[in-house]
């Protein structure tokens, strides 16, 4: 009998993409919608990156190429990681992929057996539990709670480790909370990983988007080199979402497995985009720091304005570009609130449960939109708040 494989019924979609689809429908009906649902910078790569892509195409760099990425880009990534993250990584330990999502998927496929347990942050990127389930492994959430400033709770994680635990997934700065894990927390996570001999999958896609301090990669902690895979890419730090460029930094014995995954799936990443990526990493025009400085200004304005909305409570994120707003004070569910905001106010945002059950009293806005757009969004939300003002809990 013909049927869809059962693994498909355990995987899930992404809240952001379904809200985006509905928002597009409303726009097609002529409604004005402010899109604050997607995690996509409103910037584009600098002219030198675009010129370099055109030049590479003109030079015929549009062929099948090295399955783990062209050597020149892996060399440049090694220098970039040393410069921006103080980690020494050989170019031989870097594997390119068409985006971070596929890098995550294939790394997990290479390392997990069915039944293995994977510790992951909740609220967190929806792909973590979905991919885990799709591979027949068992997702085990650890809570990022407001009580703990959205930092992982080491005691909770330690208590959840069993003989089947195989992997610890970390994401700092985190989507959706914007938390940058403290040095103390990361050190303790590293100690747990060593003690229980776990793989650590460190999703560092927002590493460059932090609002102060030095970024601390999980790879810097004792005992991490042989067990840590870093996932990173060009979507967020270089505003190159549609270019589909990501990479994994892996211990030497994992690289052949990732190369085999590449051979069996995407073969190689588009050659000309890899040459353009070299220019993005060199960033002679200073595009990334300029973008982050702009996000920082918007963060201050947007978080301050959101906290003036009755029933909203939002801590200032330390990284990434999301406002994670506690909304239980409105007396409405996050789903109902998002529905009102989209259908009535024309502001698209995401109910927190899309990032896991512990996100249920929150909504997420992306502030990767211009300051004027964000201001208009807040004005629309303030107007719509009449719908719940009567029910606002007294703080
Ligand atoms: N990891 C996290 C935490 C993300 O927020 C995202 C995208 O939103 C990804 C991975 C996927 O990124 P990419 O566009 O490179 O596939």
């Amino acid at each position: 009998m013909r049927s869809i494989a059962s693994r498909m019924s355990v995987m899930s979609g992404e809240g952001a993409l379904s809200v985006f689809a509905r928002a597009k429908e409303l726009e097609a009906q002529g409604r004005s919608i402010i899109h604050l649902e997607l995690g996509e910078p409103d910037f584009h790569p600098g002219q030198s990156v675009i010129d370099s892509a055109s030049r590479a195409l003109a030079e015929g760099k549009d062929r099948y190429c090295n399955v783990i990425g062209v050597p020149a880009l892996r060399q440049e990534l090694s220098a970039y990681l040393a410069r921006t993250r103080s980690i020494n990584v050989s170019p031989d330990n870097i594997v390119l992929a068409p985006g971070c999502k596929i890098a995550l998927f294939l790394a997990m496929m290479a390392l997990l057996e069915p039944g293995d347990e994977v510790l992951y942050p909740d609220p967190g990127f929806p792909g973590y539990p979905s991919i885990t389930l799709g591979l027949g492994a068992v997702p085990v959430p650890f809570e990022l709670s407001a009580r703990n400033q959205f930092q992982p709770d080491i005691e909770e994680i330690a208590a959840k480790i069993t003989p089947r635990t195989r992997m610890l997934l970390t994401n700092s700065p985190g989507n959706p909370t914007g938390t940058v894990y403290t040095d103390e927390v990361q050190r303790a996570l590293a100690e747990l990983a060593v003690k229980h001999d776990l793989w650590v999958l460190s999703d560092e896609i927002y590493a460059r988007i932090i609002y102060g301090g030095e970024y601390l990669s999980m790879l810097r902690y004792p005992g991490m080199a042989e067990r840590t895979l870093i996932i990173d890419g060009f979507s967020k730090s270089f505003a190159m979402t549609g270019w589909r460029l990501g990479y994994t930094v892996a211990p030497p014995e994992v690289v052949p497995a990732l190369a085999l995954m590449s051979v069996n799936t995407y073969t190689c990443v588009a050659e000309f985009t890899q040459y353009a990526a070299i220019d993005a990493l060199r960033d002679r025009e200073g595009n990334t720091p300029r973008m982050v400085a702009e996000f920082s200004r918007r963060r201050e304005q947007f978080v301050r304005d959101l906290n003036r909305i009755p029933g909203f409570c939002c801590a200032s994120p330390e990284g990434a570009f999301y406002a994670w707003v506690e909304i239980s004070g409105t007396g409405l569910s996050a789903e109902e609130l998002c529905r009102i905001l989209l259908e009535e106010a024309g502001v698209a945002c995401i109910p927190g449960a899309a990032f896991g059950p512990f996100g249920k009293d929150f909504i997420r806005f992306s502030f990767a939109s211009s300051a004027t757009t964000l201001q208009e969004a807040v004005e629309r939300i303030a107007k719509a708040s009449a719908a719940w003002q009567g029910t606002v809990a007294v703080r």
Side-chain angles (χ1 to χ4, degrees):
M1 196 185 68
R2 292 180 304 118
S3 60
I4 304 292
S6 58
R7 75 176 68 86
M8 299 317 296
S9 66
V10 293
M11 295 185 76
S12 47
E14 269 188 43
L17 296 177
S18 43
V19 172
F20 181 64
R22 175 66 188 146
K24 283 284 175 198
E25 254 174 45
L26 290 171
E27 270 177 332
Q29 294 164 16
R31 293 278 311 278
S32 150
I33 303 292
I34 299 180
H35 289 276
L36 304 184
E37 72 278 42
L38 290 188
E40 177 162 74
D42 58 323
F43 290 78
H44 289 276
Q47 194 56 43
S48 69
V49 180
I50 293 159
D51 289 346
S52 153
S54 312
R55 201 166 43 245
L57 275 171
E59 287 168 358
K61 293 195 170 88
D62 58 355
R63 308 280 86 193
Y64 288 136
C65 60
N66 192 314
V67 294
I68 66 167
V70 299
L73 175 56
R74 288 187 288 111
Q75 197 90 45
E76 196 64 41
L77 274 167
S78 165
Y80 165 81
L81 291 169
R83 190 169 69 243
T84 57
R85 220 165 293 186
S86 307
I87 52 177
N88 288 319
V89 173
S90 158
D92 297 338
N93 293 359
I94 300 172
V95 179
L96 271 295
C100 285
K101 252 188 218 176
I102 189 84
L104 263 169
F105 199 115
L106 298 183
M108 292 172 79
M109 194 163 179
L111 301 178
L112 295 173
E113 302 284 358
D116 282 349
E117 293 172 11
V118 176
L119 284 158
Y120 74 99
D122 177 345
F125 185 57
Y128 304 149
S130 177
I131 296 170
T132 305
L133 287 165
L135 295 171
V138 182
V140 179
F142 58 86
E143 184 178 2
L144 301 181
S145 96
R147 286 187 311 280
N148 204 24
Q149 284 77 48
F150 305 106
Q151 294 284 337
D153 175 340
I154 302 300
E155 281 180 22
E156 178 199 346
I157 295 174
K160 287 183 167 167
I161 295 178
T162 75
R164 293 310 307 261
T165 310
R166 176 85 60 167
M167 179 181 281
L168 170 65
L169 247 159
T170 60
N171 177 216
S172 170
N175 175 7
T177 62
T179 317
V180 175
Y181 296 5
T182 64
D183 179 31
E184 193 191 357
V185 160
Q186 295 207 133
R187 194 168 297 280
L189 291 174
E191 281 167 12
L192 279 180
V194 170
K195 182 170 168 200
H196 298 277
D197 200 15
L198 308 179
W199 290 113
V200 174
L201 196 52
S202 180
D203 183 345
E204 303 188 0
I205 191 169
Y206 296 102
R208 296 295 306 285
I209 305 173
I210 55 173
Y211 304 111
E214 182 198 6
Y215 184 72
L216 296 171
S217 168
M218 278 304 284
L219 202 60
R220 283 173 56 162
Y221 294 86
M224 288 298 97
E226 67 264 33
R227 66 185 67 254
T228 302
L229 284 80
I230 295 177
I231 305 288
D232 198 353
F234 292 77
S235 293
K236 318 288 176 177
S237 302
F238 300 100
M240 290 166 73
T241 46
W243 290 59
R244 309 312 300 135
L245 266 172
Y247 57 92
T248 306
V249 174
E253 78 272 21
V254 180
V255 172
L258 298 181
L260 195 57
M261 286 297 174
S262 169
V263 169
N264 279 276
T265 50
Y266 54 88
T267 302
C268 62
V269 170
E271 195 179 12
F272 57 97
T273 62
Q274 295 191 57
Y275 283 96
I278 294 174
D279 271 292
L281 293 172
R282 290 182 183 160
D283 196 12
R284 296 217 171 86
E285 296 151 318
N287 288 311
T288 297
R290 200 171 316 118
M291 177 177 76
V292 175
E294 177 58 26
F295 286 159
S296 174
R297 281 189 286 275
R298 295 175 188 175
R299 172 185 74 136
E300 273 177 36
Q301 171 203 312
F302 193 49
V303 169
R304 182 200 60 212
D305 291 351
L306 285 174
N307 278 315
R308 290 183 181 146
I309 304 284
F312 278 21
C313 178
C314 179
S316 195
E318 299 158 308
F321 40 67
Y322 304 111
W324 182 241
V325 184
E326 219 260 357
I327 50 85
S328 46
T330 63
L332 297 176
S333 71
E335 285 69 23
E336 178 61 1
L337 189 61
C338 288
R339 194 199 60 75
I340 293 174
L341 294 182
L342 178 59
E343 307 284 335
E344 292 169 29
V347 177
C349 61
I350 309 178
F355 302 93
F358 290 120
K360 77 174 177 43
D361 293 331
F362 291 79
I363 59 178
R364 190 195 80 171
F365 296 96
S366 160
F367 54 82
S369 288
S370 75
T372 338
T373 306
L374 292 172
Q375 201 167 347
E376 188 183 337
V378 171
E379 281 162 19
R380 290 186 186 191
I381 297 168
K383 237 190 232 163
S385 71
W388 66 83
Q389 294 241 13
T391 59
V392 170
V394 179
R395 286 178 184 279

